[in-house]
């Protein structure tokens, strides 16, 4: 009897390493052993091949001086390379760290995924070094020059690696570019924040400001790369799907560009099915990988949180981010179950992005100035669309109210925002006051008002943060506008809360004497609207949507625009009716609304919600978007600046 | 023997087997070489951190298996678990089931077919069949490496053999 095992062995023995392959692999492993000798044995393992390779590595002119000195204090490779691990630009051993430690590791990294991750990691090391120097006030012009040059080399290498793999693995390229963009965004924000803080204390080094600009530019490029790689995935889909006739997958709008219903040939159909399968497989893989990345980051974030002192203020804030990411992962899972792969990908990517930033900030908190980092998270506590509002109750207990908040560039106050410049201190004072008022709210009867106030507050904080970034980049004009917007939003939040408190109070009469004769409560009545007529205009980078809701009484309309970008930039208009306390306004009437937001020209309005219910609409373009003369680069820069702040807050 | 000597001896002893194992799991020669190299480097990293490895063989298989799973994840279109629904086959019947499948295969299998067969086999089955019959690991050892129960591993092996038998039958 032929043994299955024998047959299997016989059939597989031809698969073996050649002598050359085996020797080469062994040589590399011996080199690796030499690079990382066991701690107890500091005697380097020697081999002829590895000795030649090592001397080649150590032969760089840049590091000869550093090595010469280093070798005076220690005689082992182990000690030199380990001592260099914590070196910063300008330190004696820093060249050893960059050219030897990292150079050797580069040689040993195998495979596209590991290589692209390593290039990004190297770039991030430079950013961390710069942050460390900036936090210590040591990022002077000389050190900045050193770190900038190396950062530029490594950022370019990371981008090049993504470009290299784009053709053979577009899914990995999209993922890698997203990680690259996240990394740069996070560090840009951290560095910018440090510069602003230090500037306030008058200790900022000019080199730090210059470096922030460089990181900002790199982040700009990385974001473009991410958009491009994700678009390439979509383009592949569109090209493939466009010929697929009746086999079109109908689960996702963004899949479908054009349907050719004339394709009836059997062969064509078979080809289409195959192509469709490839597209779906690619999308599925992208979604699965994004999920893997998000869950891995979730685990890492949880580990970092666990490792911290649990009384640290940063802990609950970081936990909140992790919970938010968990919600997004769950949403992604649900989308996967529904077969909506793009939605799933978007949710997983957002989750990964939030976690990436949380981890980065936790690391910053570990290494640098804890007070600074705590301040950053404390000041921007709501890091996601889903914000938890703590409401105190009379019995002393608390209840978490989930408030679905739109993204941070929901506006409506921009028109009056820039009228008078305000200082950052004034803005901070006002936001502090609103935070205090929210914290002191005694009951949950007006959760919607709290939610609105909270949203305004979040907008104010986001605008402040954007102003910080603008300031750090020397764009004072933009910073002034942003601070004014922030102040307007914070004031609106305060006024809203004050108004509600006055109305709620049984001991204090309403401020407006006219209201004294008004019935205590008038139920809002909203007659079902048919199709809403909306006027849209786009001017000076601001989209304005306005119109009226007919046949509506006893209400005011609050309008908000929110922006999302998965996978395209889209806008949602949320209209909320609130009861009026004035009888005069209760006659049958049409109530007007108006909402504005800053966003790129190429956006789509995807939904209008009236009290949470979707309504249909017809749109009238007052100013064609195509007529916009705004340079695309400016739009992109502004959008990215906004997104940088949003991402820092964890929302999209 | 120093740790370094033991480690290099492990390379000499297991590199080829690990390469073969990796090759039939990922069906890519260059990738298989990278995986073997990575497995040894990760093992060295483990030693470098001050840990000790008493028996390199299971350690290396565990390491390369994790790397292969990572590799597989990059390409997967559906989860392994979805491929393997539990059928609650009573324990104790596994060896018999496996042997029964083997008997039929042993008469019909041509060694030349093996690479093609393994390449065509679903990953979930290929993993355990390669470990069991190519690497000569016992179900308990495989279970330990994969973090699964012995029963689960045995069921997978059995199904892998059934799949092979059906595939060979279909080739006729």
């Amino acid at each position: 009897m032929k043994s299955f095992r024998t047959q299997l062995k016989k059939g597989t023995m031809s698969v073996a390493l050649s002598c050359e392959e085996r020797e080469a692999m062994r040589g590399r492993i011996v080199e690796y052993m030499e690079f990382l000798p066991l701690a107890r044995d500091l005697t380097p393992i020697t081999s002829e091949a590895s000795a030649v390779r090592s001397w080649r590595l150590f032969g760089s002119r840049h590091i000869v001086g550093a090595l010469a000195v280093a070798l005076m204090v220690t005689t082992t490779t182990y000690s030199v390379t380990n001592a260099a691990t914590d070196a910063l630009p300008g330190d004696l051993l820093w060249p050893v760290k960059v050219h030897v430690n990292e150079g050797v590791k580069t040689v040993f990294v195998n495979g596209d995924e590991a290589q692209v991750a390593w290039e990004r990691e190297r770039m991030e090391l430079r950013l961390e070094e710069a942050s460390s120097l900036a936090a210590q006030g040591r990022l002077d012009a000389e050190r900045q020059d050193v770190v900038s040059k190396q950062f530029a080399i490594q950022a370019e290498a990371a981008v090049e690696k993504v470009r290299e793999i784009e053709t053979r693995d577009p899914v990995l390229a999209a993922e890698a570019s997203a990680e690259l963009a996240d990394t740069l965004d996070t560090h840009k924000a951290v560095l910018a924040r440090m510069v602003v803080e230090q500037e306030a204390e008058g200790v900022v080094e000019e080199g730090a400001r210059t470096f922030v600009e460089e990181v900002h530019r790199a982040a700009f490029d990385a974001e473009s790369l991410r958009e491009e790689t994700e678009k390439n995935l979509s383009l592949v889909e569109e090209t493939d799907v466009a010929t697929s006739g009746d086999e079109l997958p109908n689960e996702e709008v963004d899949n479908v560009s054009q349907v050719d219903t004339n394709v009836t040939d059997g062969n064509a159909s078979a080809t289409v099915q195959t192509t469709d399968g490839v597209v779906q497989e690619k999308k599925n893989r992208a979604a699965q990988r994004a999920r893997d990345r998000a869950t891995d980051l979730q685990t890492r974030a949880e580990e970092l949180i666990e490792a911290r002192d649990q009384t640290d203020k940063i802990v609950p804030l970081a936990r909140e981010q992790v919970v938010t990411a968990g919600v997004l992962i769950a949403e992604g899972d649900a989308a996967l179950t529904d077969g909506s792969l793009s939605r799933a990908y978007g949710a997983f990517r957002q989750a990964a992005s939030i976690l990436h930033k949380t981890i980065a900030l936790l690391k910053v908190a570990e290494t640098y100035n804890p007070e600074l980092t705590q301040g950053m998270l404390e000041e921007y506590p709501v890091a996601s669309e889903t914000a938890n509002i703590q409401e105190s109750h009379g019995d002393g207990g608390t209840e978490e109210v989930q408030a679905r908040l739109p993204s941070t560039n929901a506006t409506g106050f921009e028109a009056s925002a820039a009228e008078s410049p305000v200082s950052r201190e004034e803005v901070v004072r006002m936001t502090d006051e609103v935070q205090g008022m929210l914290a002191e709210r005694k009951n949950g009867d007006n959760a919607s008002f709290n939610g609105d106030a909270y949203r305004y507050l979040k907008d104010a904080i986001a605008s402040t943060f954007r102003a910080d970034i603008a300031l750090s980049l020397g764009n004072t004009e933009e910073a002034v506008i942003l601070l004014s917007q922030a102040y307007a939003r914070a004031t609106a939040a305060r006024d809203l809360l004050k108004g509600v408190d006055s109305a709620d109070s049984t001991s204090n009469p309403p401020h407006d004497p006219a209201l004294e004769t008004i019935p205590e409560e008038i139920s809002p009545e909203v007659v079902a609207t048919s199709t809403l007529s909306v006027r849209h205009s786009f001017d000076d980078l601001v989209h304005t949507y306005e119109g009226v809701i007919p046949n509506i009484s006893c209400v005011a309309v609050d309008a908000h625009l929110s922006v999302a970008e998965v996978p395209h930039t889209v806008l949602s208009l949320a209209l909320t009716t609130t009861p009026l306390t004035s009888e005069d306004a209760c006659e049958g009437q049409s109530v007007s609304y108006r909402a504005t937001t800053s966003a790129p020209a190429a956006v789509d309005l995807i939904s209008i919600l009236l009290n949470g219910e979707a309504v249909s609409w017809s749109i009238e373009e007052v100013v064609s978007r195509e007529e916009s003369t705004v340079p695309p680069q400016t739009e992109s820069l502004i959008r990215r600046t906004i997104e940088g702040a949003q991402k820092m807050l964890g929302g999209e | 023997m120093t740790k370094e000597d033991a480690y290099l001896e492990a390379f000499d002893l297991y590199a080829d087997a690990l390469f073969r194992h990796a090759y039939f799991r990922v069906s890519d020669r260059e990738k298989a070489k990278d995986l073997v190299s990575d497995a040894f480097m990760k093992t060295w990293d483990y030693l470098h951190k001050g840990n000790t490895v008493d028996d390199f063989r299971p350690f290396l298989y565990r390491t390369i298996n994790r790397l292969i799973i990572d590799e597989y994840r990059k390409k997967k279109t559906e989860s392994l678990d979805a491929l393997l629904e539990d059928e609650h086959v009573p324990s104790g019947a596994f060896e018999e089931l496996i042997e029964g499948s083997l008997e039929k295969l042993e008469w019909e299998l041509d060694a030349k077919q093996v690479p093609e067969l393994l390449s065509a086999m679903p990953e979930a089955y290929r993993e355990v069949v390669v470990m069991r019959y190519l690497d000569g690991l016992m179900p308990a050892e495989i279970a330990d490496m994969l973090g699964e129960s012995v029963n689960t591993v045995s069921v997978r092996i059995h199904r892998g053999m059934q799949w092979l038998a059906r595939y060979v039958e279909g080739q006729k």
Side-chain angles (χ1 to χ4, degrees), chain A residues 62 129 205 207 227 238 254 358 372 381 452 481 529 555 564 624:
Chain A
H62 301 294
E129 287 167 353
E205 287 280 358
E227 285 173 5
E238 285 175 7
D254 55 311
T358 305
L372 173 68
D452 285 344
I481 293 171
T529 56
V555 297
S624 168

Side-chain angles (χ1 to χ4, degrees), chain A residues 148-164:
Chain A
S148 286
K149 281 179 182 158
Q150 202 58 37
F151 168 74
I153 290 169
Q154 266 134 28
E156 191 182 336
V159 169
E160 280 302 307
K161 189 64 201 170
V162 173
R163 294 255 181 243
E164 185 192 322

